[in-house]
Amino acid sequence: AQTVTQSQPEMSVQEAETVTLSCTYDTSESNYYLFWYKQPPSRQMILVIRQEAYKQQNATENRFSVNFQKAAKSFSLKISDSQLGDTAMYFCAFMSATSGSRLTFGEGTQLTVNP
Amino acid sequence: GAVVSQHPSWVICKSGTSVKIECRSLDFQATTMFWYRQFPKQSLMLMATSNEGSKATYEQGVEKDKFLINHASLTLSTLTVTSAHPEDSSFYICSAPTADATDTQYFGPGTRLTVL
């Protein structure tokens, strides 16, 4: 079974600064996908970024980028130029290519962006 | 991105009654949908996988007779909480993966259930 661990329950950052959220996972599979989802106070889950394990290049989406270290089973999220609207709970998630789209979530990191 | 809706967004019911929550994929077809439960400040807990045209697959510890799931069409799955009790009060979220190569899951906005 896969596990996903987010070791930072809470983090805070000043507006316009950069913050990195950590995520590690454990799997014996070689073909999988990793995701970061954000859940703002509205509680709507929003996809932030996605990474395919077979791709060596780190995914980026505007101010969001990941540092994917496959050998270390690490998948951190970097948020640049933090904005107040980035305040949310962030969940790291794992999906095996053979799991039928089933997601395994980490415990989440509550990020607060301060003005 | 793809859109998933849920209805109702919140519901209050009396103990012992049943409540139905709908999950719809608005602009894509979903042969599979997922139902989660989330307690405050906690992660999402997968309850069951809803399969169009067949029985749902429940996670260990989830009572299938209490949480009835029906996936009647390629765009609609329903979760019925039967004989609800206060401990069933929670936030329920559904999701559906797109059928394209990305296989990305999109989530509904959630339903807050309060059982009095």
Side-chain angles (χ1 to χ4, degrees):
Chain A
Q2 292 83 17
T3 59
V4 178
T5 302
Q6 293 178 249
S7 58
Q8 306 152 314
E10 297 180 353
M11 293 192 72
S12 63
V13 65
Q14 291 299 120
E15 197 174 6
E17 294 187 346
T18 296
V19 64
T20 299
L21 308 183
S22 301
C23 173
T24 59
Y25 59 95
D26 189 22
T27 184
S28 58
E29 303 200 22
S30 58
N31 194 11
Y32 53 87
Y33 307 91
L34 295 163
F35 305 84
W36 279 97
Y37 282 90
K38 67 181 278 189
Q39 188 179 40
S42 68
R43 302 191 78 171
Q44 169 74 62
M45 293 285 284
I46 301 167
L47 176 65
V48 175
I49 202 163
R50 162 196 170 98
Q51 174 80 44
E52 290 87 348
Y54 64 84
K55 289 187 177 179
Q56 292 186 335
Q57 186 173 8
N58 289 322
T60 63
E61 285 289 342
N62 301 314
R63 298 182 296 107
F64 299 88
S65 62
V66 298
N67 183 2
F68 174 47
Q69 301 291 327
K70 190 171 183 178
K73 296 180 181 175
S74 171
F75 183 62
S76 61
L77 174 69
K78 185 172 82 171
I79 306 174
S80 304
D81 186 25
S82 297
Q83 300 176 359
L84 296 178
D86 295 334
T87 292
M89 179 75 89
Y90 285 80
F91 293 101
C92 178
F94 172 100
M95 184 175 77
S96 164
T98 59
S99 70
S101 305
R102 181 193 175 111
L103 286 170
T104 300
F105 286 94
E107 306 93 329
T109 296
Q110 175 64 49
L111 175 67
T112 301
V113 180
N114 299 307
Chain B
V3 179
V4 175
S5 70
Q6 268 183 255
H7 178 81
S9 55
W10 59 270
V11 57
I12 301 172
C13 70
K14 293 183 178 180
S15 186
T17 61
S18 295
V19 174
K20 180 185 286 188
I21 302 170
E22 293 185 347
C23 177
R24 293 181 185 273
S25 55
L26 297 185
D27 50 1
F28 66 101
Q29 293 182 332
T31 56
T32 301
M33 292 184 177
F34 298 91
W35 287 96
Y36 298 86
R37 184 172 181 176
Q38 186 182 33
F39 292 105
K41 297 187 178 182
Q42 292 188 22
S43 189
L44 281 70
M45 181 186 76
L46 179 64
M47 298 175 65
T49 302
S50 174
N51 304 299
E52 190 268 336
S54 64
K55 291 183 178 180
T57 305
Y58 291 82
E59 296 299 303
Q60 191 173 8
V62 177
E63 299 175 62
K64 62 180 181 180
D65 294 331
K66 181 166 191 62
F67 298 100
L68 299 179
I69 291 172
N70 184 274
H71 198 142
S73 75
L74 288 172
T75 59
L76 173 64
S77 175
T78 60
L79 169 68
T80 301
V81 183
T82 63
S83 186
H85 291 285
E87 57 266 30
D88 299 324
S89 298
S90 191
F91 193 67
Y92 293 88
I93 306 174
C94 71
S95 72
T98 56
D100 59 22
T102 69
D103 202 21
T104 299
Q105 280 199 44
Y106 291 89
F107 287 78
T111 297
R112 182 181 302 279
L113 170 63
T114 301
V115 185
L116 301 177

